[in-house]
């Protein structure tokens, strides 16, 4: 199989780690849509064509596992949603999906709105230094975290618990991203910075989640909260396939983490990229004036078509290097036989910026998603993989399309944000691509 030659022991990892997205784009361009990247311990087979990506991600038989074949011992010990396939996965998914879609969508959306309205101002103040400079990225992450906790647990958390969850989820995301070769390993030595990356931060966050699950299971009011945790605890009792208490805790933690980091990163990117385009900013502000931001409804947020288009375009442009799948029985893509237990990488950013599928792909242009008459990038659905595809497509995509545009609209309607002159966007790629060094701006109320 074609691919970069790499080095004897490290393979192509030194070059890959410098700029993952550029390396993958260059590899697909030079070696083709199916190519092998040599990496330490385990090589990666890249699928650069959206049709091949959909074959791997859309499979429902379990032949292409999300994480279940990452390591045999891990598969035996972990029965969480991310590690199972087939009927057992579909049974569990049928419990989880309605909690953030259909009937559950109204409750989860309302919980997020309440948390945003209550906390955005204080989170911006907390992220502002003595010189009046605000790290808007930190404020967005903290605000979204409160929404996720509200929709999942209902009961309030202490400031210390929120801080421990924030650090624990950030650490877990870093560890998982580095394990899957999507991001650099977390720095376990440096004692400073906004994210205190420490191994025990994950344990602390896990214990907070575990204690909340135990409290809810023993609560006499179980079934009356109307939150995600209620639905999972009650729904999982009806499963035909038995699961352990720790599998339940893992799924609750996974739902919390997945709803938090990736969405907060995408919202931050939307605010940043929109602010760097004066016309896009003016249109967002104008559109926000047509909606009562303080009392939003699902219908009114869905009417924010331009804000949503900026969100979708920002996700397209952000630097998510890979989504992974693992072959169970082997496969064949474009004439290349692939062995069982091979790690497949769908290079999301590469596909999202491939000129074969997108016109002027490096340009921020929300009209791709806004004006149907200008949609020259068809069939867009096949080439747009921001939420994944197939059975493992993000469970909360519907909710994401509500809370993300709403929080963006809330920020732009309430605040005027001044970006420093000559500032340029630099990404820290990973499971939740972030802005390197934060997004330091001056914020004033409108």
């Amino acid at each position: 199989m074609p691919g970069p030659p790499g080095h004897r022991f490290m393979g192509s990892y030194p070059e890959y780690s410098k700029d993952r997205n550029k390396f993958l784009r260059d590899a697909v361009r030079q070696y083709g849509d199916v190519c092998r990247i040599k990496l330490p311990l385990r090589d990666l087979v890249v699928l650069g064509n959206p049709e091949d990506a959909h074959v791997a991600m859309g499979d429902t038989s379990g032949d292409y596992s999300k994480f279940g074949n990452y390591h045999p011992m891990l598969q035996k010990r972990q029965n969480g949603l991310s590690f199972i396939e087939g009927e057992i996965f579909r049974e569990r998914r049928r419990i989880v999906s309605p909690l953030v879609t259909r009937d559950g969508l109204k409750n989860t959306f309302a919980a997020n709105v309440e948390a945003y309205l209550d906390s955005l101002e204080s989170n911006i103040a907390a992220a502002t230094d003595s010189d009046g400079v605000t790290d808007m990225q930190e404020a967005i992450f903290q605000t979204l975290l409160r929404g996720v906790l509200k929709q999942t647990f209902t009961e309030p958390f202490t400031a210390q618990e929120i801080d421990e969850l924030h650090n624990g989820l950030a650490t877990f995301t870093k560890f998982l991203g580095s394990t899957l070769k999507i991001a650099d390993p977390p720095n376990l030595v440096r004692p400073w910075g906004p994210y205190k990356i420490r191994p025990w931060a994950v344990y602390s966050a896990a214990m907070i989640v575990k204690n909340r699950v135990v409290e809810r299971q023993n609560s006499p009011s179980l079934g009356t909260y109307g939150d995600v945790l209620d639905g999972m605890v009650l729904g999982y009792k009806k499963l035909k396939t038995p699961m352990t208490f720790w599998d339940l805790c893992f799924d609750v933690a996974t739902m919390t983490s997945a709803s938090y980091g990736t969405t907060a990163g995408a919202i931050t990117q939307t605010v940043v990229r929109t602010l760097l385009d004066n016309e896009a900013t003016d249109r967002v502000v104008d559109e926000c004036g047509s909606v009562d931001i303080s009392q939003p409804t699902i219908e009114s947020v869905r009417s924010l078509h331009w804000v949503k288009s900026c969100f979708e375009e920002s996700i397209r442009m952000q630097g998510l290097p890979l989504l992974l799948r693992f072959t169970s029985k082997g496969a064949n893509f474009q004439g290349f036989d692939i062995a069982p237990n091979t790690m497949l990488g769908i290079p999301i950013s590469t596909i999202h910026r491939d000129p074969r599928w997108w016109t002027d792909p490096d340009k921020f242009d929300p009209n791709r998603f806004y004006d149907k008459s200008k949609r020259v990038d068809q069939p867009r659905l096949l080439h747009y993989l921001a939420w994944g595809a197939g059975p493992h497509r993000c469970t909360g995509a519907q909710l994401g399309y509500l809370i993300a545009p709403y929080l963006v609209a809330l920020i732009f309607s309430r605040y005027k944000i001044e970006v420093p002159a000559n500032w340029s966007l630099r990404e820290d790629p990973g499971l939740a691509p972030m802005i390197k060094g934060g997004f330091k701006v001056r914020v004033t109320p409108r």
Side-chain angles (χ1 to χ4, degrees), residues 136-172:
M136 202 64 197
Q137 177 169 254
E138 176 69 7
I140 290 171
F141 268 74
Q142 290 285 357
T143 301
L144 195 82
L145 176 59
R146 282 153 176 79
V148 171
L149 296 180
K150 184 78 173 178
Q151 77 181 33
T152 306
F153 300 99
T154 299
E155 302 100 327
F157 288 78
T158 66
Q160 181 178 349
E161 286 177 323
I162 291 175
D163 186 58
E164 290 180 2
L165 284 167
H166 182 47
N167 293 326
L169 292 172
T171 304
F172 175 76

Side-chain angles (χ1 to χ4, degrees), residues 7 26 55 82 98 169 207 260 310 326 334 339 347 359 415 418 439:
H7 308 285
D26 290 344
V55 169
S82 299
L169 292 172
M207 289 301 99
Y260 169 52
C310 290
F326 296 85
Q334 300 192 24
T359 303
Y415 300 98
E418 181 183 348
F439 184 43

Side-chain angles (χ1 to χ4, degrees), residues 76-91:
K76 290 179 181 179
R77 292 177 179 274
Q78 180 49 250
N79 196 30
L81 260 175
S82 299
F83 296 87
I84 56 178
E85 302 293 338
E87 182 55 36
I88 183 176
F89 169 80
R90 289 189 288 273
E91 182 188 18

Side-chain angles (χ1 to χ4, degrees), residues 71 87 99 124 137 156 217 238 248 300 331 371 374 416 437:
H71 193 283
E87 182 55 36
L99 303 178
I124 289 177
Q137 177 169 254
Q217 286 181 320
K238 303 175 183 178
L248 171 61
S300 67
D371 190 343
K374 295 182 179 180
K416 183 177 181 180

